[in-house]
Amino acid sequence: MPYGASPPPGYYAPPPKKTRWGLIIGLVVGAFVLVGIAFIAFIVIATKDTVTATDVKVGDCLKEIPSSARVTTVETIGCDQTHAGEVYTVLLMPEGDYPGMSAIEKYQDKCEPELADYSPTALTDDSVRMYVLYPTEETWKQGDRAVTCIATLDPPRTGSIKG
């Protein structure tokens, strides 16, 4: 057939060559979505028992006692599992300007009598000590007034100390 001539009747040209760009783009987007879902699932699972330190409540058991001076999160677990600490009271400081560390330290003196109320035998148990989470000047500005009293357990144990 000469160049530029019309094809004879009944003649079909081969179909245009199909590209796979749609498939490639779909696979790439699908892979990114899958990776994103996996990442979110990992974060949710890895941090499901991690709570903001200001959100712990009486009766929460801590897997470990924080070792840093600045604590923002703690890992809570069921008290039926081996744990190193138990929250026994949360004292709220009065509103107002940040009182400074000396006032906070004086306020945390209320923790010991609260431990005696929560667990009368804890004060005579040599394996129980006290640990306190308290507001910093920065968290105070965010509304944190909680002085959280925690009984530490060395060695860690199962079961609540509440008596």
mmCIF file of all heavy atoms in Angstrom, residues 55-106:
data_model
loop_
_atom_site.group_PDB
_atom_site.id
_atom_site.type_symbol
_atom_site.label_atom_id
_atom_site.label_comp_id
_atom_site.label_asym_id
_atom_site.label_seq_id
_atom_site.Cartn_x
_atom_site.Cartn_y
_atom_site.Cartn_z
ATOM 1 N N ASP A 55 -0.816 12.245 82.460
ATOM 2 C CA ASP A 55 -2.099 11.552 82.330
ATOM 3 C C ASP A 55 -2.206 10.275 83.157
ATOM 4 O O ASP A 55 -3.229 9.592 83.082
ATOM 5 C CB ASP A 55 -2.379 11.223 80.863
ATOM 6 C CG ASP A 55 -2.656 12.458 80.034
ATOM 7 O OD1 ASP A 55 -3.055 13.496 80.607
ATOM 8 O OD2 ASP A 55 -2.470 12.401 78.804
ATOM 9 N N VAL A 56 -1.180 9.924 83.920
ATOM 10 C CA VAL A 56 -1.297 8.717 84.741
ATOM 11 C C VAL A 56 -2.273 8.981 85.880
ATOM 12 O O VAL A 56 -2.483 10.121 86.294
ATOM 13 C CB VAL A 56 0.069 8.241 85.291
ATOM 14 C CG1 VAL A 56 0.974 7.774 84.180
ATOM 15 C CG2 VAL A 56 0.733 9.294 86.139
ATOM 16 N N LYS A 57 -2.870 7.901 86.362
ATOM 17 C CA LYS A 57 -3.849 8.056 87.432
ATOM 18 C C LYS A 57 -3.588 7.036 88.525
ATOM 19 O O LYS A 57 -2.829 6.075 88.346
ATOM 20 C CB LYS A 57 -5.263 7.946 86.877
ATOM 21 C CG LYS A 57 -5.552 6.668 86.143
ATOM 22 C CD LYS A 57 -6.879 6.746 85.407
ATOM 23 C CE LYS A 57 -7.196 5.504 84.636
ATOM 24 N NZ LYS A 57 -6.220 5.024 83.714
ATOM 25 N N VAL A 58 -4.225 7.242 89.654
ATOM 26 C CA VAL A 58 -4.065 6.354 90.801
ATOM 27 C C VAL A 58 -4.411 4.921 90.385
ATOM 28 O O VAL A 58 -5.426 4.686 89.736
ATOM 29 C CB VAL A 58 -4.969 6.809 91.973
ATOM 30 C CG1 VAL A 58 -4.929 5.797 93.110
ATOM 31 C CG2 VAL A 58 -4.526 8.181 92.459
ATOM 32 N N GLY A 59 -3.536 4.001 90.752
ATOM 33 C CA GLY A 59 -3.725 2.593 90.423
ATOM 34 C C GLY A 59 -2.990 2.151 89.181
ATOM 35 O O GLY A 59 -2.877 0.955 88.933
ATOM 36 N N ASP A 60 -2.475 3.094 88.376
ATOM 37 C CA ASP A 60 -1.692 2.717 87.199
ATOM 38 C C ASP A 60 -0.374 2.112 87.648
ATOM 39 O O ASP A 60 0.270 2.614 88.582
ATOM 40 C CB ASP A 60 -1.384 3.937 86.321
ATOM 41 C CG ASP A 60 -2.562 4.377 85.467
ATOM 42 O OD1 ASP A 60 -3.581 3.653 85.411
ATOM 43 O OD2 ASP A 60 -2.463 5.453 84.853
ATOM 44 N N CYS A 61 0.021 1.042 86.985
ATOM 45 C CA CYS A 61 1.324 0.438 87.261
ATOM 46 C C CYS A 61 2.269 0.761 86.114
ATOM 47 O O CYS A 61 1.866 0.794 84.955
ATOM 48 C CB CYS A 61 1.176 -1.069 87.446
ATOM 49 S SG CYS A 61 0.377 -1.464 89.023
ATOM 50 N N LEU A 62 3.518 1.043 86.460
ATOM 51 C CA LEU A 62 4.530 1.431 85.486
ATOM 52 C C LEU A 62 5.490 0.277 85.248
ATOM 53 O O LEU A 62 5.995 -0.326 86.205
ATOM 54 C CB LEU A 62 5.315 2.644 85.972
ATOM 55 C CG LEU A 62 4.509 3.869 86.393
ATOM 56 C CD1 LEU A 62 5.439 4.994 86.792
ATOM 57 C CD2 LEU A 62 3.567 4.310 85.301
ATOM 58 N N LYS A 63 5.733 0.004 83.973
ATOM 59 C CA LYS A 63 6.656 -1.072 83.624
ATOM 60 C C LYS A 63 8.042 -0.789 84.202
ATOM 61 O O LYS A 63 8.677 -1.666 84.760
ATOM 62 C CB LYS A 63 6.718 -1.242 82.117
ATOM 63 C CG LYS A 63 7.562 -2.399 81.678
ATOM 64 C CD LYS A 63 7.473 -2.629 80.188
ATOM 65 C CE LYS A 63 8.264 -3.863 79.809
ATOM 66 N NZ LYS A 63 8.159 -4.125 78.376
ATOM 67 N N GLU A 64 8.495 0.449 84.041
ATOM 68 C CA GLU A 64 9.810 0.856 84.547
ATOM 69 C C GLU A 64 9.695 2.234 85.175
ATOM 70 O O GLU A 64 8.837 3.028 84.800
ATOM 71 C CB GLU A 64 10.829 0.910 83.406
ATOM 72 C CG GLU A 64 11.080 -0.425 82.752
ATOM 73 C CD GLU A 64 11.996 -0.312 81.536
ATOM 74 O OE1 GLU A 64 12.252 0.814 81.068
ATOM 75 O OE2 GLU A 64 12.426 -1.358 81.061
ATOM 76 N N ILE A 65 10.584 2.525 86.076
ATOM 77 C CA ILE A 65 10.659 3.858 86.656
ATOM 78 C C ILE A 65 11.569 4.681 85.752
ATOM 79 O O ILE A 65 12.674 4.246 85.408
ATOM 80 C CB ILE A 65 11.221 3.807 88.102
ATOM 81 C CG1 ILE A 65 10.317 2.939 88.984
ATOM 82 C CG2 ILE A 65 11.378 5.201 88.671
ATOM 83 C CD1 ILE A 65 8.871 3.396 89.059
ATOM 84 N N PRO A 66 11.126 5.859 85.331
ATOM 85 C CA PRO A 66 11.957 6.676 84.436
ATOM 86 C C PRO A 66 13.320 6.977 85.056
ATOM 87 O O PRO A 66 13.434 7.201 86.256
ATOM 88 C CB PRO A 66 11.138 7.962 84.275
ATOM 89 C CG PRO A 66 9.741 7.583 84.639
ATOM 90 C CD PRO A 66 9.860 6.491 85.659
ATOM 91 N N SER A 67 14.328 6.970 84.206
ATOM 92 C CA SER A 67 15.682 7.230 84.706
ATOM 93 C C SER A 67 16.150 8.645 84.393
ATOM 94 O O SER A 67 17.151 9.087 84.927
ATOM 95 C CB SER A 67 16.658 6.223 84.102
ATOM 96 O OG SER A 67 16.636 6.310 82.691
ATOM 97 N N SER A 68 15.419 9.350 83.534
ATOM 98 C CA SER A 68 15.854 10.705 83.189
ATOM 99 C C SER A 68 15.225 11.728 84.127
ATOM 100 O O SER A 68 14.210 11.462 84.773
ATOM 101 C CB SER A 68 15.480 11.026 81.740
ATOM 102 O OG SER A 68 14.085 11.083 81.597
ATOM 103 N N ALA A 69 15.848 12.881 84.183
ATOM 104 C CA ALA A 69 15.343 13.938 85.050
ATOM 105 C C ALA A 69 14.078 14.562 84.475
ATOM 106 O O ALA A 69 13.206 15.017 85.210
ATOM 107 C CB ALA A 69 16.408 15.013 85.235
ATOM 108 N N ARG A 70 13.959 14.579 83.169
ATOM 109 C CA ARG A 70 12.784 15.163 82.506
ATOM 110 C C ARG A 70 11.954 14.025 81.924
ATOM 111 O O ARG A 70 12.372 13.358 80.985
ATOM 112 C CB ARG A 70 13.230 16.123 81.425
ATOM 113 C CG ARG A 70 12.103 16.856 80.800
ATOM 114 C CD ARG A 70 12.657 17.870 79.782
ATOM 115 N NE ARG A 70 11.581 18.564 79.157
ATOM 116 C CZ ARG A 70 11.095 19.715 79.586
ATOM 117 N NH1 ARG A 70 11.625 20.288 80.643
ATOM 118 N NH2 ARG A 70 10.102 20.295 78.963
ATOM 119 N N VAL A 71 10.770 13.814 82.475
ATOM 120 C CA VAL A 71 9.914 12.707 82.067
ATOM 121 C C VAL A 71 8.694 13.262 81.344
ATOM 122 O O VAL A 71 7.956 14.070 81.899
ATOM 123 C CB VAL A 71 9.471 11.886 83.301
ATOM 124 C CG1 VAL A 71 8.560 10.744 82.886
ATOM 125 C CG2 VAL A 71 10.682 11.365 84.059
ATOM 126 N N THR A 72 8.502 12.817 80.109
ATOM 127 C CA THR A 72 7.325 13.258 79.361
ATOM 128 C C THR A 72 6.325 12.128 79.167
ATOM 129 O O THR A 72 5.126 12.373 79.104
ATOM 130 C CB THR A 72 7.720 13.828 77.978
ATOM 131 O OG1 THR A 72 8.468 12.844 77.260
ATOM 132 C CG2 THR A 72 8.541 15.099 78.127
ATOM 133 N N THR A 73 6.809 10.886 79.064
ATOM 134 C CA THR A 73 5.919 9.734 78.921
ATOM 135 C C THR A 73 6.389 8.604 79.824
ATOM 136 O O THR A 73 7.564 8.541 80.200
ATOM 137 C CB THR A 73 5.879 9.215 77.468
ATOM 138 O OG1 THR A 73 7.188 8.792 77.078
ATOM 139 C CG2 THR A 73 5.362 10.270 76.504
ATOM 140 N N VAL A 74 5.445 7.734 80.157
ATOM 141 C CA VAL A 74 5.755 6.531 80.917
ATOM 142 C C VAL A 74 4.998 5.371 80.286
ATOM 143 O O VAL A 74 3.996 5.573 79.611
ATOM 144 C CB VAL A 74 5.372 6.661 82.411
ATOM 145 C CG1 VAL A 74 6.230 7.679 83.115
ATOM 146 C CG2 VAL A 74 3.903 6.993 82.574
ATOM 147 N N GLU A 75 5.476 4.162 80.506
ATOM 148 C CA GLU A 75 4.803 2.987 79.976
ATOM 149 C C GLU A 75 4.010 2.318 81.091
ATOM 150 O O GLU A 75 4.583 1.872 82.086
ATOM 151 C CB GLU A 75 5.810 2.006 79.378
ATOM 152 C CG GLU A 75 5.148 0.845 78.685
ATOM 153 C CD GLU A 75 6.121 -0.069 77.968
ATOM 154 O OE1 GLU A 75 7.309 0.281 77.859
ATOM 155 O OE2 GLU A 75 5.676 -1.139 77.524
ATOM 156 N N THR A 76 2.699 2.287 80.923
ATOM 157 C CA THR A 76 1.841 1.640 81.904
ATOM 158 C C THR A 76 1.547 0.207 81.464
ATOM 159 O O THR A 76 1.504 -0.086 80.264
ATOM 160 C CB THR A 76 0.514 2.398 82.077
ATOM 161 O OG1 THR A 76 -0.164 2.452 80.825
ATOM 162 C CG2 THR A 76 0.747 3.813 82.597
ATOM 163 N N ILE A 77 1.375 -0.655 82.453
ATOM 164 C CA ILE A 77 0.987 -2.049 82.189
ATOM 165 C C ILE A 77 0.017 -2.459 83.275
ATOM 166 O O ILE A 77 -0.138 -1.770 84.292
ATOM 167 C CB ILE A 77 2.214 -3.001 82.160
ATOM 168 C CG1 ILE A 77 2.979 -2.970 83.486
ATOM 169 C CG2 ILE A 77 3.141 -2.663 81.019
ATOM 170 C CD1 ILE A 77 4.093 -4.006 83.564
ATOM 171 N N GLY A 78 -0.607 -3.581 83.088
ATOM 172 C CA GLY A 78 -1.501 -4.102 84.110
ATOM 173 C C GLY A 78 -0.716 -4.476 85.355
ATOM 174 O O GLY A 78 0.403 -4.981 85.260
ATOM 175 N N CYS A 79 -1.296 -4.233 86.512
ATOM 176 C CA CYS A 79 -0.598 -4.550 87.759
ATOM 177 C C CYS A 79 -0.433 -6.060 87.948
ATOM 178 O O CYS A 79 0.370 -6.486 88.780
ATOM 179 C CB CYS A 79 -1.347 -3.945 88.950
ATOM 180 S SG CYS A 79 -1.303 -2.133 88.960
ATOM 181 N N ASP A 80 -1.154 -6.857 87.155
ATOM 182 C CA ASP A 80 -0.984 -8.301 87.217
ATOM 183 C C ASP A 80 0.274 -8.757 86.480
ATOM 184 O O ASP A 80 0.645 -9.923 86.536
ATOM 185 C CB ASP A 80 -2.217 -9.013 86.664
ATOM 186 C CG ASP A 80 -2.511 -8.639 85.214
ATOM 187 O OD1 ASP A 80 -2.055 -7.568 84.763
ATOM 188 O OD2 ASP A 80 -3.199 -9.417 84.530
ATOM 189 N N GLN A 81 0.939 -7.813 85.805
ATOM 190 C CA GLN A 81 2.214 -8.091 85.146
ATOM 191 C C GLN A 81 3.344 -7.528 86.008
ATOM 192 O O GLN A 81 3.123 -6.655 86.843
ATOM 193 C CB GLN A 81 2.249 -7.434 83.767
ATOM 194 C CG GLN A 81 1.179 -7.939 82.820
ATOM 195 C CD GLN A 81 1.230 -7.200 81.501
ATOM 196 O OE1 GLN A 81 2.308 -6.968 80.957
ATOM 197 N NE2 GLN A 81 0.069 -6.816 80.986
ATOM 198 N N THR A 82 4.548 -8.042 85.802
ATOM 199 C CA THR A 82 5.689 -7.560 86.569
ATOM 200 C C THR A 82 5.901 -6.074 86.265
ATOM 201 O O THR A 82 6.019 -5.687 85.114
ATOM 202 C CB THR A 82 6.955 -8.364 86.229
ATOM 203 O OG1 THR A 82 6.690 -9.744 86.484
ATOM 204 C CG2 THR A 82 8.131 -7.912 87.060
ATOM 205 N N HIS A 83 5.917 -5.265 87.314
ATOM 206 C CA HIS A 83 6.063 -3.816 87.155
ATOM 207 C C HIS A 83 6.986 -3.273 88.236
ATOM 208 O O HIS A 83 7.192 -3.898 89.267
ATOM 209 C CB HIS A 83 4.695 -3.123 87.211
ATOM 210 C CG HIS A 83 3.939 -3.395 88.466
ATOM 211 N ND1 HIS A 83 3.194 -4.540 88.650
ATOM 212 C CD2 HIS A 83 3.800 -2.687 89.603
ATOM 213 C CE1 HIS A 83 2.634 -4.518 89.853
ATOM 214 N NE2 HIS A 83 2.994 -3.403 90.458
ATOM 215 N N ALA A 84 7.523 -2.075 87.963
ATOM 216 C CA ALA A 84 8.500 -1.473 88.870
ATOM 217 C C ALA A 84 7.920 -0.320 89.679
ATOM 218 O O ALA A 84 8.611 0.245 90.524
ATOM 219 C CB ALA A 84 9.707 -0.986 88.086
ATOM 220 N N GLY A 85 6.656 0.045 89.431
ATOM 221 C CA GLY A 85 6.073 1.154 90.173
ATOM 222 C C GLY A 85 4.568 1.174 90.077
ATOM 223 O O GLY A 85 3.980 0.587 89.168
ATOM 224 N N GLU A 86 3.955 1.858 91.052
ATOM 225 C CA GLU A 86 2.502 1.991 91.081
ATOM 226 C C GLU A 86 2.143 3.400 91.553
ATOM 227 O O GLU A 86 2.640 3.863 92.578
ATOM 228 C CB GLU A 86 1.905 0.946 92.027
ATOM 229 C CG GLU A 86 0.399 0.932 92.059
ATOM 230 C CD GLU A 86 -0.171 -0.248 92.833
ATOM 231 O OE1 GLU A 86 0.543 -1.257 93.041
ATOM 232 O OE2 GLU A 86 -1.338 -0.155 93.236
ATOM 233 N N VAL A 87 1.285 4.056 90.791
ATOM 234 C CA VAL A 87 0.827 5.397 91.154
ATOM 235 C C VAL A 87 -0.161 5.243 92.303
ATOM 236 O O VAL A 87 -1.157 4.540 92.188
ATOM 237 C CB VAL A 87 0.147 6.100 89.956
ATOM 238 C CG1 VAL A 87 -0.382 7.469 90.370
ATOM 239 C CG2 VAL A 87 1.121 6.217 88.783
ATOM 240 N N TYR A 88 0.121 5.918 93.427
ATOM 241 C CA TYR A 88 -0.779 5.782 94.566
ATOM 242 C C TYR A 88 -1.509 7.075 94.917
ATOM 243 O O TYR A 88 -2.493 7.046 95.656
ATOM 244 C CB TYR A 88 -0.060 5.203 95.785
ATOM 245 C CG TYR A 88 1.054 6.055 96.343
ATOM 246 C CD1 TYR A 88 0.811 7.030 97.296
ATOM 247 C CD2 TYR A 88 2.364 5.859 95.925
ATOM 248 C CE1 TYR A 88 1.833 7.801 97.808
ATOM 249 C CE2 TYR A 88 3.393 6.618 96.437
ATOM 250 C CZ TYR A 88 3.127 7.587 97.376
ATOM 251 O OH TYR A 88 4.143 8.347 97.876
ATOM 252 N N THR A 89 -1.074 8.184 94.394
ATOM 253 C CA THR A 89 -1.850 9.419 94.556
ATOM 254 C C THR A 89 -1.379 10.455 93.545
ATOM 255 O O THR A 89 -0.225 10.437 93.110
ATOM 256 C CB THR A 89 -1.773 9.990 95.987
ATOM 257 O OG1 THR A 89 -2.804 10.947 96.177
ATOM 258 C CG2 THR A 89 -0.445 10.649 96.266
ATOM 259 N N VAL A 90 -2.312 11.335 93.171
ATOM 260 C CA VAL A 90 -1.994 12.477 92.311
ATOM 261 C C VAL A 90 -2.501 13.708 93.051
ATOM 262 O O VAL A 90 -3.701 13.870 93.251
ATOM 263 C CB VAL A 90 -2.652 12.359 90.921
ATOM 264 C CG1 VAL A 90 -2.343 13.588 90.086
ATOM 265 C CG2 VAL A 90 -2.193 11.092 90.201
ATOM 266 N N LEU A 91 -1.570 14.528 93.491
ATOM 267 C CA LEU A 91 -1.907 15.746 94.225
ATOM 268 C C LEU A 91 -1.909 16.921 93.263
ATOM 269 O O LEU A 91 -0.972 17.074 92.472
ATOM 270 C CB LEU A 91 -0.866 15.992 95.325
ATOM 271 C CG LEU A 91 -0.618 14.841 96.299
ATOM 272 C CD1 LEU A 91 0.636 15.108 97.117
ATOM 273 C CD2 LEU A 91 -1.822 14.643 97.186
ATOM 274 N N LEU A 92 -2.930 17.751 93.323
ATOM 275 C CA LEU A 92 -2.990 18.919 92.446
ATOM 276 C C LEU A 92 -2.602 20.164 93.222
ATOM 277 O O LEU A 92 -3.201 20.482 94.251
ATOM 278 C CB LEU A 92 -4.391 19.069 91.852
ATOM 279 C CG LEU A 92 -4.816 17.940 90.917
ATOM 280 C CD1 LEU A 92 -6.233 18.159 90.418
ATOM 281 C CD2 LEU A 92 -3.857 17.810 89.743
ATOM 282 N N MET A 93 -1.610 20.855 92.714
ATOM 283 C CA MET A 93 -1.153 22.093 93.341
ATOM 284 C C MET A 93 -2.140 23.211 93.025
ATOM 285 O O MET A 93 -2.827 23.168 91.997
ATOM 286 C CB MET A 93 0.251 22.449 92.858
ATOM 287 C CG MET A 93 1.296 21.433 93.293
ATOM 288 S SD MET A 93 2.977 21.999 93.004
ATOM 289 C CE MET A 93 3.102 23.297 94.216
ATOM 290 N N PRO A 94 -2.214 24.214 93.876
ATOM 291 C CA PRO A 94 -3.136 25.320 93.629
ATOM 292 C C PRO A 94 -2.757 26.124 92.378
ATOM 293 O O PRO A 94 -1.593 26.172 91.988
ATOM 294 C CB PRO A 94 -3.016 26.195 94.876
ATOM 295 C CG PRO A 94 -2.065 25.528 95.793
ATOM 296 C CD PRO A 94 -1.483 24.343 95.116
ATOM 297 N N GLU A 95 -3.762 26.727 91.777
ATOM 298 C CA GLU A 95 -3.544 27.580 90.604
ATOM 299 C C GLU A 95 -2.679 28.778 91.000
ATOM 300 O O GLU A 95 -2.534 29.093 92.172
ATOM 301 C CB GLU A 95 -4.886 28.063 90.050
ATOM 302 C CG GLU A 95 -5.734 26.962 89.434
ATOM 303 C CD GLU A 95 -5.112 26.359 88.183
ATOM 304 O OE1 GLU A 95 -4.493 27.101 87.401
ATOM 305 O OE2 GLU A 95 -5.245 25.139 88.010
ATOM 306 N N GLY A 96 -2.174 29.462 90.019
ATOM 307 C CA GLY A 96 -1.358 30.645 90.251
ATOM 308 C C GLY A 96 -0.095 30.572 89.434
ATOM 309 O O GLY A 96 0.061 29.712 88.570
ATOM 310 N N ASP A 97 0.813 31.486 89.715
ATOM 311 C CA ASP A 97 2.102 31.492 89.028
ATOM 312 C C ASP A 97 2.926 30.288 89.464
ATOM 313 O O ASP A 97 2.727 29.728 90.547
ATOM 314 C CB ASP A 97 2.870 32.781 89.357
ATOM 315 C CG ASP A 97 2.194 34.013 88.773
ATOM 316 O OD1 ASP A 97 1.455 33.875 87.773
ATOM 317 O OD2 ASP A 97 2.402 35.116 89.328
ATOM 318 N N TYR A 98 3.868 29.913 88.618
ATOM 319 C CA TYR A 98 4.756 28.792 88.939
ATOM 320 C C TYR A 98 5.431 29.080 90.276
ATOM 321 O O TYR A 98 6.088 30.109 90.446
ATOM 322 C CB TYR A 98 5.799 28.626 87.831
ATOM 323 C CG TYR A 98 6.755 27.494 88.078
ATOM 324 C CD1 TYR A 98 6.332 26.177 88.010
ATOM 325 C CD2 TYR A 98 8.082 27.745 88.378
ATOM 326 C CE1 TYR A 98 7.210 25.125 88.226
ATOM 327 C CE2 TYR A 98 8.973 26.702 88.596
ATOM 328 C CZ TYR A 98 8.524 25.395 88.525
ATOM 329 O OH TYR A 98 9.407 24.365 88.753
ATOM 330 N N PRO A 99 5.298 28.155 91.255
ATOM 331 C CA PRO A 99 5.794 28.438 92.605
ATOM 332 C C PRO A 99 7.290 28.214 92.801
ATOM 333 O O PRO A 99 7.833 28.602 93.832
ATOM 334 C CB PRO A 99 4.994 27.458 93.465
ATOM 335 C CG PRO A 99 4.729 26.304 92.556
ATOM 336 C CD PRO A 99 4.560 26.905 91.185
ATOM 337 N N GLY A 100 7.956 27.547 91.856
ATOM 338 C CA GLY A 100 9.376 27.254 92.008
ATOM 339 C C GLY A 100 9.587 25.879 92.620
ATOM 340 O O GLY A 100 8.687 25.281 93.221
ATOM 341 N N MET A 101 10.802 25.368 92.460
ATOM 342 C CA MET A 101 11.119 24.011 92.912
ATOM 343 C C MET A 101 10.996 23.831 94.418
ATOM 344 O O MET A 101 10.556 22.783 94.884
ATOM 345 C CB MET A 101 12.522 23.603 92.457
ATOM 346 C CG MET A 101 12.565 23.060 91.053
ATOM 347 S SD MET A 101 11.359 21.747 90.709
ATOM 348 C CE MET A 101 11.836 20.487 91.866
ATOM 349 N N SER A 102 11.370 24.818 95.209
ATOM 350 C CA SER A 102 11.311 24.627 96.672
ATOM 351 C C SER A 102 9.867 24.427 97.124
ATOM 352 O O SER A 102 9.594 23.586 97.987
ATOM 353 C CB SER A 102 11.964 25.799 97.403
ATOM 354 O OG SER A 102 11.303 27.009 97.089
ATOM 355 N N ALA A 103 8.927 25.152 96.527
ATOM 356 C CA ALA A 103 7.515 24.974 96.890
ATOM 357 C C ALA A 103 6.996 23.617 96.425
ATOM 358 O O ALA A 103 6.221 22.962 97.136
ATOM 359 C CB ALA A 103 6.672 26.093 96.288
ATOM 360 N N ILE A 104 7.447 23.174 95.261
ATOM 361 C CA ILE A 104 7.028 21.859 94.760
ATOM 362 C C ILE A 104 7.597 20.753 95.641
ATOM 363 O O ILE A 104 6.904 19.800 95.989
ATOM 364 C CB ILE A 104 7.433 21.689 93.280
ATOM 365 C CG1 ILE A 104 6.592 22.626 92.420
ATOM 366 C CG2 ILE A 104 7.271 20.253 92.830
ATOM 367 C CD1 ILE A 104 7.015 22.697 90.973
ATOM 368 N N GLU A 105 8.864 20.883 96.026
ATOM 369 C CA GLU A 105 9.471 19.883 96.910
ATOM 370 C C GLU A 105 8.745 19.826 98.248
ATOM 371 O O GLU A 105 8.539 18.747 98.806
ATOM 372 C CB GLU A 105 10.954 20.174 97.097
ATOM 373 C CG GLU A 105 11.773 19.851 95.858
ATOM 374 C CD GLU A 105 13.208 20.343 95.937
ATOM 375 O OE1 GLU A 105 13.580 21.030 96.922
ATOM 376 O OE2 GLU A 105 13.964 20.062 94.993
ATOM 377 N N LYS A 106 8.355 20.965 98.774
ATOM 378 C CA LYS A 106 7.608 20.991 100.029
ATOM 379 C C LYS A 106 6.231 20.335 99.839
ATOM 380 O O LYS A 106 5.774 19.580 100.688
ATOM 381 C CB LYS A 106 7.451 22.427 100.523
ATOM 382 C CG LYS A 106 6.791 22.526 101.874
ATOM 383 C CD LYS A 106 6.770 23.951 102.378
ATOM 384 C CE LYS A 106 6.084 23.973 103.740
ATOM 385 N NZ LYS A 106 5.913 25.311 104.243
#
